[in-house]
């Protein structure tokens, strides 16, 4: 259940940036490779937000699919499942370009 | 009164705070000259049993230290205490909310009780869990996974986060292979599917198979002083 720790961090980051204002929505990007369960994260978020400026805020999750660039042939592939192999030449020697994100992108807040 | 909404761009990684603390741990390890291993597995895969074998073999040859992570109890630390190596138990329950993994701050809290200057290789035995520990750096140089053959062939595909992050996989309990339907080749193929070519050693904490090879791997990690 790493979602609970991740939710705590999201609430902390959002709270830090809110400067005492009330947060109404938090936009978070989660890469597919992070193995985050969206429903578990949403549940944890609601729980740990209680009693903070983030209480009651909506959590907007954007799931980012895996994109990788092949070190052999240079082609970029969109990948859905393991094994992660280049769509063009089949090599496993890939550099992950997207899909490992875990980031608070932005906040919506009430005017102070 | 109507309140208008404002939007603020943040772009902050959720794990920044942990990563910063992990880097601080790492700086301390570097100063003291420690090579640090983050040992991870499911509950019951044999981390502690392998460590017992390891401490037995390497006593007097390599200055090992152990940081034990568990949700509760000092049972694992008690098992290792007879080897008289620097050892500290960190329980994630009191004060940490019973976390299912160690994070950089928990490790930091345990470091004050370890004589880091007298340690070559520090093994951090993480909480038994196949998902969460992989998400949190603690300042380690390498990640070693212990995987037991009783866990089935398919787990690398189901829990890729941890398998992808491993630098070495100890495939443990191989003395049981003759009693199981476990297909070792299929498991290794699944392992390669998520972490191509990752180092692996077949071990049995019970019979001692592979323990020499694992101990050599550890000895080769000793930082040059």
């Amino acid at each position: 259940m790493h979602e609970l720790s991740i939710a705590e961090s999201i609430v902390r980051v959002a709270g830090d940036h809110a400067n005492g204002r009330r947060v109404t929505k938090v936009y978070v990007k989660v890469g597919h490779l992070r193995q985050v369960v969206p429903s578990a994260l949403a549940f944890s978020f609601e729980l740990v937000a209680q009693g903070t400026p983030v209480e009651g805020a909506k959590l907007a999750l954007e799931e980012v699919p895996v994109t990788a660039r092949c070190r052999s042939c240079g082609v970029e592939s969109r990948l859905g499942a393991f094994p992660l192999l280049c769509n063009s030449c089949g090599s496993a020697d890939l550099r992950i370009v997207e899909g490992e994100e875990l980031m608070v992108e932005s906040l919506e807040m009430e005017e102070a | 009164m109507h309140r208008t909404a404002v939007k603020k761009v943040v772009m902050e990684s959720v794990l920044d705070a942990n990563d910063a603390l992990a880097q601080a741990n790492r700086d301390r390890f570097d100063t003291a000259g420690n090579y640090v291993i983050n040992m991870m597995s499911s509950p019951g895969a044999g981390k502690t049993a392998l460590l017992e074998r390891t401490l037995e073999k390497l006593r007097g040859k390599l200055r090992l230290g152990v940081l034990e992570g568990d949700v509760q109890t000092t049972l694992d630390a008690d098992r290792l205490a007879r080897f008289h190596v620097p050892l500290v138990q960190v329980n994630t329950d009191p004060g940490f909310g019973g976390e299912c993994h160690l994070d950089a701050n928990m490790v930091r809290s345990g470091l004050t009780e370890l004589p880091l200057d007298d340690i070559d290789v520090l093994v951090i035995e993480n909480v038994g869990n196949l998902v969460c520990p992989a998400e949190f750096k603690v300042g380690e140089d390498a990640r070693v996974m212990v995987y037991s053959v009783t866990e089935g062939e398919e787990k690398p595909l189901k829990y890729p986060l941890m398998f992808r992050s491993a630098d070495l996989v100890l495939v443990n309990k191989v003395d049981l292979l003759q009693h199981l339907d476990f297909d070792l080749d299929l498991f290794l193929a699944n392992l390669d599917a998520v972490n191509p070519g990752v180092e692996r050693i077949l071990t049995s904490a019970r019979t001692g198979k592979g323990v020499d090879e694992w101990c050599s791997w550890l000895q080769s990690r000793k930082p040059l002083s």
Side-chain angles (χ1 to χ4, degrees), chain B residues 90-111:
Chain B
V90 174
N91 283 125
T92 64
D93 198 16
F96 294 119
E99 294 287 10
C100 51
H101 57 266
L102 289 172
D103 65 23
N105 188 43
M106 300 177 206
V107 167
R108 184 178 64 162
S109 76
L111 292 184

Side-chain angles (χ1 to χ4, degrees), chain B residues 144-190:
Chain B
V144 174
M145 253 195 98
V146 180
Y147 188 77
S148 75
V149 296
T150 54
E151 293 175 73
E153 299 92 349
E154 78 294 355
K155 294 300 182 294
L157 303 178
K158 287 184 175 171
Y159 301 91
L161 189 68
M162 184 172 291
F163 285 95
R164 279 183 73 230
S165 78
D167 299 296
L168 169 68
V169 178
L170 302 175
V171 186
N172 194 32
K173 305 192 188 179
V174 290
D175 55 297
L176 293 178
L177 279 175
Q178 53 183 318
H179 307 291
L180 303 170
D181 294 327
F182 183 81
D183 182 340
L184 183 61
D185 289 337
L186 177 59
F187 167 74
L188 294 175
N190 288 339

